[in-house]
Each structure stands twice: as C-alpha cells, then as structure tokens.
Amino acid sequence: MQIYHITEGSPEWLYKAYDYVRTDAFCVGQSIPIEIEFEGDESKEELEAVVLIEDHKPVAGCRITFPKEGVGKIERVCVVREKQKGGYGRIMIEDAEKWILERGVKHIVINSQDRSAGFYNKIGYVTNYDVSPSVYEKPRPKRAEELPKKEEKKIDLGFSTVLVEKYL
C-alpha cells in the first residue's frame, strides 16, 4: 500500500483518485447526491489530502484543513465500500495526524457522522457533545442560488454530525 499526500502541484491522477473514493463511499455507498458531496470544494491549489492506493487502486482518502489557529481538521474521511472495515481508515487517520503534527498542530477535530463516532473513539478521539461541529466549518459566501427559497425542502441524509477531537 502507498500513502500519498496531495498538495498544490500534485499529479492529476491523485486528485482523481481522491474524488473516486469520495464518489464510491459517499455518493454510491451512502446515497449522498453528487452535487451536495462536491459543492463548495476548495480549488486544487488549496486542497491538501491523504490518499491510500493499494494494487494501483484508490482505497481511502481524507482532506486536511486548518480552520482556526492551532487546530487541524480531518474531513471527508472515506474508504471505498469493498474495503470498509479493513483497517484502511485507521491507517489513513494515523498518517493525517502525523502530517498535521509535523506542522506543530496538536489539536485535531473531525466532524463525524454520528454513526461513525465509535470508530474515532476507538482510535483515541473523544466525542464532544458540548461543541457544535459547525464551529469548525469554514464560512461559505452566500450566492443568490443559495439563499433560502419558499418551502425549500432540506434533504435528509440519514445522519447527523458530532464533533470528535483529540489532543496529541
């Protein structure tokens, strides 16, 4: 297995590998509409991500951001459906933690789906129900098409999010 870090100037195939894993895990595996999954993504120049490749196939990925001073955030943690529960998530999170720690950041947060919080608890994260996960979301500019419309239906994705955090 190879672990790659995506940063500005990475080969195009790494970006595609990360998008593939997200599409398989979230859009196909969890039925999250593709326009919701990829809407609001940062530009390639801003993306920092970890991708695991096994036998020349992408198997897992996550994104790294720094939403506040002294805080690293691991986002969009995903493993392709056929490899879930195979230890890939743990390997990827450990690598992401090391990458964040190399930057001198020791507080790591993840906005986890409520059904996945147990996984993070097993690898040393604590669920913090007192802090809203939205505290670590980057603000998005309001566009005309994003303004609330009359009786607009919100899509129920079947889960809520909780904040899990770890101090290294």
Side-chain angles (χ1 to χ4, degrees):
M1 176 179 1
Q2 298 83 38
I3 301 174
Y4 294 94
H5 290 176
I6 298 174
T7 58
E8 185 176 2
S10 290
E12 185 68 24
W13 65 267
L14 279 174
Y15 295 97
K16 291 177 189 271
Y18 177 55
D19 286 350
Y20 170 81
V21 175
R22 285 177 63 188
T23 301
D24 183 78
F26 295 128
C27 301
V28 179
Q30 296 183 21
S31 299
I32 295 174
I34 197 162
E35 61 274 11
I36 291 175
E37 176 56 31
F38 289 94
E39 180 179 65
D41 272 5
E42 64 277 286
S43 68
K44 283 184 181 180
E45 295 78 28
E46 297 172 311
L47 177 66
E48 294 186 299
V50 176
V51 177
L52 274 60
I53 307 289
E54 184 176 67
D55 296 326
H56 307 285
K57 295 177 186 148
V59 294
C62 69
R63 182 166 62 206
I64 308 292
T65 62
F66 297 89
K68 294 185 177 192
E69 182 71 31
V71 178
K73 184 177 180 190
I74 302 173
E75 303 178 332
R76 307 313 300 150
V77 176
C78 49
V79 177
V80 294
R81 291 169 295 146
E82 68 184 50
K83 298 289 186 174
Q84 291 176 1
K85 302 199 185 292
Y88 298 93
R90 176 185 298 267
I91 292 166
M92 183 178 50
I93 294 295
E94 288 172 354
D95 185 79
E97 290 173 349
K98 287 178 194 168
W99 196 15
I100 291 169
L101 193 56
E102 286 171 6
R103 296 174 184 204
V105 175
K106 296 180 179 181
H107 181 202
I108 299 175
V109 297
I110 301 172
N111 290 6
S112 170
Q113 293 179 9
D114 53 359
R115 59 188 174 209
S116 300
F119 162 74
Y120 295 111
N121 296 152
K122 287 179 187 174
I123 59 173
Y125 285 80
V126 175
T127 305
N128 186 342
Y129 295 104
D130 296 329
V131 177
S132 169
S134 65
V135 167
Y136 295 104
E137 292 291 326
K138 66 180 178 185
R140 291 181 5 178
K142 289 272 185 198
R143 298 181 303 205
E145 62 269 19
E146 289 180 0
L147 295 175
K149 296 177 183 143
K150 280 197 265 176
E151 301 298 319
E152 186 174 296
K153 270 189 166 180
K154 187 170 182 179
I155 297 173
D156 179 8
L157 300 175
F159 59 85
S160 60
T161 57
V162 294
L163 180 72
V164 296
E165 60 187 337
K166 182 187 240 185
Y167 289 88
L168 301 175

